[in-house]
Amino acid sequence: MARNGERPPAPEPLPAPAVDAHTHLDAIGCADAADVTAAVDRAAAVGVTRVVTVADDLDSARWAARAATWDDRVFAAVALHPTRTANFDDRDRATLEELARQPRVVAIGETGLDYYWDYSPPHAQHEAFRWHIDLAKRVGKPLMIHDRDAHEDVLRILAEEGAPDTVVFHCFSGDADFARRCLDAGYVLSFAGTVTFRNAGALREAARLTPPDQMLVETDAPFLTPHPFRGRPNEPYCVPYTLRDLAALRGDDLVGLVSAVTATAERVFRLAEIPSL
């Protein structure tokens, strides 16, 4: 339903507050504090009261950490995306570690492995992933994983390095079997708009079996806009489309599901411990 870049209409407000566990406010066009406030105002108007804006390179990491100081409803995650790791050096590591220790940075991500694109060779991705795992453990913050066509190596490296206390599979893309393996390991699965796609049968089955206390919901905006607006620009205010679809898919009461998934986000990111601005 692409309409020349037109954003989807605002959904009906949720009956309980929700969290967008993974978005990219800079990529949706936010540049300054006024832009960020406007975006989270649009989200709050439909019940999405907090967002985690996520970095994929060093400039984005600096921006995300700064944006989290502009509005109390915004938190940040910082890392180098696996496709950006070909020339990952000590200066980059020092920058990310400094940012990761800031109080409103609530996760290390998105990091992991991406075998779909060939921008960074596997050995560089593996080395960077291992470093990010160690960083998450040293700073005591959850690890937010990007896993594209790399399920087995992601699990193997997590096992070899020893996973942090909390691991989030951002935009979970596996089937029911892979979901069970992740859930049995104690990992948290974050579902984006892809779970609403009607051709995503294996992913939808994975969402059916994921308990709410191991489930997050995200937009990954500006990408992965939920059905029936696939192809249009995504924003945090679109989270209710995914939550309503998940509730229908699972046969859950909407209020109960939203409340439970929000409680998971609060626990995973320790939002109650974050100092107010």
Side-chain angles (χ1 to χ4, degrees):
M1 297 186 67
R3 294 186 182 179
N4 299 320
E6 178 186 347
R7 290 195 301 240
E12 180 182 350
L14 290 167
V19 176
D20 183 351
H22 186 118
T23 192
H24 301 274
L25 292 181
D26 51 347
I28 71 170
C30 294
D32 55 24
D35 293 337
V36 167
T37 295
V40 292
D41 281 348
R42 288 191 290 274
V46 296
V48 183
T49 59
R50 289 165 290 182
V51 307
V52 180
T53 190
V54 181
D56 60 5
D57 63 20
L58 289 178
D59 286 342
S60 180
R62 294 185 187 97
W63 187 90
R66 194 161 61 249
T69 69
W70 293 338
D71 193 298
D72 241 350
R73 301 167 293 179
V74 177
F75 307 91
V78 300
L80 201 62
H81 192 281
T83 60
R84 311 295 182 93
T85 56
N87 299 302
F88 192 34
D89 60 24
D90 287 344
R91 181 178 297 181
D92 299 337
R93 293 179 176 88
T95 297
L96 285 173
E97 178 147 0
E98 181 180 359
L99 293 170
R101 294 185 182 278
Q102 294 188 13
R104 295 188 63 82
V105 171
V106 297
I108 307 305
E110 57 188 282
T111 180
L113 303 175
D114 189 315
Y115 294 165
Y116 180 81
W117 301 106
D118 62 358
Y119 299 128
S120 181
H123 70 86
Q125 293 192 43
H126 291 189
E127 180 181 343
F129 185 31
R130 293 177 190 275
W131 182 84
H132 282 91
I133 292 170
D134 182 64
L135 176 64
K137 291 190 287 190
R138 284 189 284 111
V139 301
K141 294 181 180 181
L143 184 75
M144 184 182 285
I145 288 179
H146 173 102
D147 165 24
R148 191 164 187 188
D149 296 349
H151 296 336
E152 298 306 321
D153 279 354
V154 166
L155 289 185
R156 174 180 60 81
I157 290 173
L158 283 171
E160 289 173 357
E161 295 297 314
D165 290 340
T166 305
V167 172
V168 176
F169 274 75
H170 139 67
C171 190
F172 183 77
S173 60
D175 59 12
D177 177 68
F178 186 64
R180 288 189 187 93
R181 293 165 66 193
C182 292
L183 294 169
D184 287 347
Y187 302 153
V188 176
L189 311 186
S190 185
F191 292 94
T194 44
V195 77
T196 72
F197 297 171
R198 295 317 188 241
N199 63 349
L203 178 59
R204 288 168 69 79
E205 185 58 34
R208 283 191 185 94
L209 63 85
T210 302
D213 65 354
Q214 287 179 270
M215 175 184 285
L216 295 172
V217 173
E218 62 174 84
T219 57
D220 198 24
F223 316 106
L224 309 180
T225 311
H227 175 83
F229 305 106
R230 187 174 181 177
R232 298 207 211 173
N234 203 3
E235 272 203 26
Y237 76 81
C238 292
V239 161
Y241 290 118
T242 301
L243 278 165
R244 283 193 167 87
D245 193 275
L246 278 169
L249 172 70
R250 295 163 52 90
D252 287 343
D253 169 72
L254 180 61
V255 175
L257 181 65
V258 174
S259 298
V261 172
T262 296
T264 301
E266 290 172 340
R267 184 189 78 245
V268 164
F269 299 122
R270 299 189 215 166
L271 297 184
E273 299 176 20
I274 307 302
S276 297
L277 298 174

